Amino acid sequence: MTDVIIEQATDILRLNDRGSYTVPTSGLYPFQWNWDSALSALGFSHFDESRAWTEIDTLFAHQWEDGMVPHIIFHEEDDGYFPGPDVWQTNRPIPTSGITQPPVTGFAVKRMFDRALDRALAEERARALLPRIHAWHEWFFRCRDPEATGLVAIIHPWESGRDNSVDWDQPFAAVPTEGVEPLRRRDIQHADPSHRPTDDQYKRYIWLVQKFRSLGWDNAKLHDASPFKVVDPGFNAILLRSCADLADLADTLGEAEIAEASRNRVAVGIPALDALWSDTFGQFLCLDRCNGSLIQSPSIGGLLAAFAPISQERAVSLAKRIVDLSTRCGYLVPSHDPVAPEFDSLRYWRGPVWLIVNTMIANGLDQAGQGDVADQIRTDSVRLIRQSGFAEYYDPISAEPCGGEHFTWTAAMVIEILKLHGEKA
Ligand code: DGY
C-alpha cells in the first residue's frame, strides 16, 4: 500500500513537471511558486536528485538584484491566472510577482544535501546556492526589519502563504478597497468558490499590489509605506530555521562568514519570537506591527513556530496544544482552532489541513523530542491521502478534499513522510 501511494505521488510530480520547474497544479496555478518549489524539490530528491536541484536553481535564477526571491515566476504566458504579469508590472525580462513567500529553501537544501547519494553533485549545487540563499535571508532582515527587532514583517497576506487566514482579518481593516481595478478572478473557475478567499479579500490583496506597484517595487520603501505589516510567528519560524540550517551547511562547506552571520540571526530572532507567546491560547500569535498589538487569533501560524529552534518548554506546550486540537477534529492539524467562531472547515486557510505545514510542524516536534505528537500528525496526513487523494488541502473534520487536485507539494510531502517514516505513518 505504501509503495502504491509513493508511486501515485511520483506520477503527480511527473505530471506537473515542466522540465526545469514544477507547477503546483495545472489550471489553478500554472507557473512556478516559491515555497511550493522548495518543498516539492524534497519529493523529487527521492527519485531524481539532479531534477530536485534544478527546481531550486530555477527559482534562484529569478532572484532580484536586491536579494528578494519572488513568490511567482511567470515562465510562460497563461491567461488562466489572476493577477498576471500585467497587474504586477515588475518590469523583468521573465516576469515575476513583486512580493516574496516563506523562505523554506535553506531547510530544503540542507536536507537534500545531507541525504544526497550523488555527493559531488550535491556539493557543487549547494555551494552555488549558499550565497544566494544567504542574500535572500539578509534581504529579509534589511528590508522587512528596518528597526532591527530580529523578526521580519510580511507586507501582503500572500507572502505568508496563508492567504485568507483569520490572522489578517483585523489588520486588513487598514487596507482600503476603493480605487481597486476590476477583479478578473480565475481561481474560482478552477476551484469551488466556497473553498477560496472572498472578493472583499481579493480587493484588498490587489489594493496592496497597486500600492507597491506605484512605488516602483522599491523594497527600500515598501515596508514603511504598507498599511499591512504583520509579524507572523510561522513565517519567522521558517526563516529562522532556514538560517540555522544554512549555518550548519555553511560550516560543512567551509563558509565561515555565512555560518556566523546566519547563527547570529537565530540568536537574536528566537528570543524575539518568544515575545509573541500567549499563555491564554498556549501558542504563539501574530503581531500587528502597525499598532504593536498581538492579534488574538489561534491559527496554525502560531503552531508552525515549532519548526524553529525554540525552547524545550515552548515546544512541549505546542505539542500539548496540538493534542488538545485533536479532540476537536478528525485530522491534524487544522489551520484554525475549530472552536473559534471564524473557523471554516472548507475555506483555504481558515480551517483546512495542509500537508506542508503538517510536515514542518512534525519535523520541529521531532527535533524537540516530541516524536509521539509528530507521529500522530504524520499518521493523520497519510490517512487523508488514503481517504481523499492528493488534494491541495482537506476539511479537518470530514476529510473532504478541497481546492486544486493532483497537487505537487501534497504529493511531495507524502513521499517525504513515507520514505522517512514509512512504518510508523
Ligand atoms: C493564489 O493565487 O491563490 C496564491 O495563493 C497567491 O499566490
Side-chain angles (χ1 to χ4, degrees):
M1 188 60 183
T2 300
D3 286 353
V4 174
I5 297 181
I6 293 177
E7 211 177 293
Q8 289 169 342
T10 306
D11 285 348
I12 289 179
L13 262 53
R14 292 210 171 100
L15 175 77
N16 293 332
D17 183 0
R18 298 291 178 268
S20 61
Y21 68 95
T22 316
V23 298
T25 186
S26 61
L28 186 58
Y29 303 116
F31 314 106
Q32 183 176 24
W33 264 258
N34 184 324
W35 71 324
D36 291 71
S37 263
L39 293 165
S40 302
L42 288 173
F44 278 104
S45 71
H46 288 283
F47 60 91
D48 188 343
E49 289 184 2
S50 166
R51 178 64 189 78
W53 288 112
T54 298
E55 186 76 25
I56 311 241
D57 287 349
T58 305
L59 181 63
F60 277 82
H62 299 272
Q63 183 169 30
W64 284 20
E65 289 65 28
D66 66 1
M68 185 184 80
V69 182
H71 103 289
I72 308 176
I73 297 148
F74 298 103
H75 289 282
E76 283 179 15
E77 278 183 35
D78 191 318
D79 63 9
Y81 180 82
F82 171 83
D86 56 319
V87 179
W88 291 96
Q89 297 174 20
T90 52
N91 198 20
R92 299 190 59 83
I94 304 272
T96 73
S97 70
I99 56 173
T100 191
Q101 246 180 353
V104 71
T105 316
F107 160 76
V109 162
K110 174 172 188 291
R111 216 163 219 224
M112 283 160 51
F113 179 85
D114 286 349
R115 69 181 182 213
L117 300 175
D118 189 337
R119 299 305 312 162
L121 181 73
E123 174 144 0
E124 180 199 325
R125 307 292 269 271
R127 197 175 280 290
L129 284 166
L130 193 73
R132 289 175 162 265
I133 300 172
H134 182 57
W136 187 22
H137 292 173
E138 290 301 305
W139 170 86
F140 270 114
F141 291 107
R142 197 172 64 249
C143 297
R144 298 303 177 76
D145 183 24
E147 291 185 13
T149 67
L151 297 178
V152 303
I154 53 162
I155 58 171
H156 193 298
W158 285 342
E159 293 198 311
S160 72
R162 302 186 295 113
D163 301 9
N164 67 342
S165 170
V166 177
D167 295 349
W168 327 131
D169 290 1
Q170 190 192 307
F172 242 10
V175 179
T177 52
E178 294 79 40
V180 171
E181 294 155 11
L183 301 178
R184 289 174 277 127
R185 288 186 68 174
R186 298 283 197 268
D187 56 310
I188 43 180
Q189 291 161 0
H190 299 293
D192 184 333
S194 69
H195 297 178
R196 296 283 308 171
T198 62
D199 266 4
D200 184 73
Q201 285 158 341
Y202 255 83
K203 281 186 193 150
R204 293 173 211 265
Y205 299 149
I206 299 302
W207 189 93
L208 287 169
V209 171
Q210 289 177 205
K211 170 81 179 169
F212 304 150
R213 188 178 77 192
S214 75
L215 295 170
W217 297 107
D218 177 354
N219 274 305
K221 298 185 186 144
L222 301 193
H223 175 278
D224 289 356
S226 178
F228 180 94
K229 283 188 275 289
V230 179
V231 179
D232 170 8
F235 190 97
N236 278 278
I238 291 174
L239 176 59
L240 293 171
R241 172 63 184 273
S242 280
C243 285
D245 284 354
L246 203 73
D248 289 350
L249 185 62
D251 273 340
T252 310
L253 295 174
E255 296 287 348
E257 265 177 47
I258 293 181
E260 195 193 340
S262 303
R263 228 162 246 134
N264 287 341
R265 295 299 184 190
V266 181
V268 177
I270 293 296
L273 189 64
D274 209 55
L276 308 187
W277 180 261
S278 160
D279 278 330
T280 311
F281 288 102
Q283 64 164 86
F284 294 88
L285 297 176
C286 287
L287 171 79
D288 187 339
R289 189 173 269 173
C290 292
N291 62 21
S293 68
L294 286 180
I295 301 167
Q296 305 296 311
S297 161
S299 83
I300 203 165
L303 309 176
L304 182 51
F307 193 48
I310 54 174
S311 72
Q312 184 69 14
E313 186 197 341
R314 295 297 187 224
V316 170
S317 300
L318 286 178
K320 275 204 195 111
R321 167 101 177 110
I322 291 168
V323 171
D324 183 39
L325 284 170
S326 75
T327 64
R328 302 198 275 286
C329 66
Y331 303 83
L332 286 173
V333 181
S335 48
H336 205 71
D337 190 331
V339 296
E342 300 89 351
F343 173 79
D344 182 338
S345 66
L346 296 172
R347 210 182 270 280
Y348 216 37
W349 287 93
R350 299 176 80 87
V353 179
W354 292 74
L355 257 65
I356 31 123
V357 184
N358 274 9
T359 310
M360 288 186 275
I361 294 176
N363 173 278
L365 292 178
D366 277 339
Q367 303 234 334
Q370 299 300 304
D372 287 351
V373 182
D375 284 343
Q376 197 181 339
I377 295 173
R378 285 186 285 258
T379 304
D380 282 2
S381 304
V382 177
R383 280 172 59 224
L384 281 170
I385 302 299
R386 291 211 164 98
Q387 189 140 336
S388 304
F390 298 85
E392 186 178 0
Y393 44 98
Y394 305 84
D395 182 316
I397 316 261
S398 69
E400 181 178 334
C402 306
E405 298 175 333
H406 312 298
F407 221 82
T408 302
W409 70 6
T410 304
M413 293 302 96
V414 174
I415 299 175
E416 187 74 5
I417 291 173
L418 290 177
K419 288 275 187 187
L420 303 184
H421 306 270
E423 303 308 310
K424 285 199 211 147

